[in-house]
Amino acid sequence: MNLKHAAERLPNRLARLKSAVSFETVFITAFVTLVFFTGGAAAQAPTGGTGGATTGWETILDNLYNVLYITLQYVGLTVLVLGFIVWLTARNNSQRSETGMKLTMGGGAMVVAYFGLGALVSLLEFIAG
């Protein structure tokens, strides 16, 4: 077998490999691997006889709230600053100026939503005791 013949066969092998590896194949492989490695531990019932305790749910929801609250804060401030930078550096480009203005208004709205959400949660905590 000469070098030219081997080089001609290489694209055919790569084409067959590309057709064998698809999104569905990767997804199914990842899912089966995840199921295999996690085993049955994820589906076990809680022990301890607490019945309908909500302590676990409260912790999960509190952590989710904290993640969303901090994300809202940092994304809002980032978009606000990015919007100012784009808006102030637009010069004679009206499309870029409009994009910067929209980013600035969106970032400002996110910052206002961040403080408003904090005030709303504080009010609800005060009412709940």
Side-chain angles (χ1 to χ4, degrees), residues 18-33:
K18 286 181 183 178
S19 66
V21 178
S22 64
F23 174 74
E24 291 85 10
T25 306
V26 172
F27 181 72
I28 291 171
T29 304
F31 182 71
V32 169
T33 304

Side-chain angles (χ1 to χ4, degrees), residues 72-120:
L72 181 66
Q73 175 188 9
Y74 287 116
V75 170
L77 289 174
T78 303
V79 171
L80 182 68
V81 169
L82 182 67
F84 272 130
I85 290 171
V86 171
W87 192 9
L88 295 176
T89 60
R91 299 190 185 191
N92 293 330
N93 190 343
S94 63
Q95 181 68 32
R96 185 171 173 169
S97 176
E98 183 180 351
T99 301
M101 183 179 62
K102 287 179 182 178
L103 283 172
T104 303
M105 290 186 341
M110 289 176 79
V111 170
V112 169
Y114 168 77
F115 289 113
L117 182 63
L120 179 67

Side-chain angles (χ1 to χ4, degrees), residues 51-65:
T54 60
T55 308
W57 288 103
E58 289 174 2
T59 305
I60 291 171
L61 291 176
D62 189 44
N63 290 341
L64 180 64
Y65 166 76

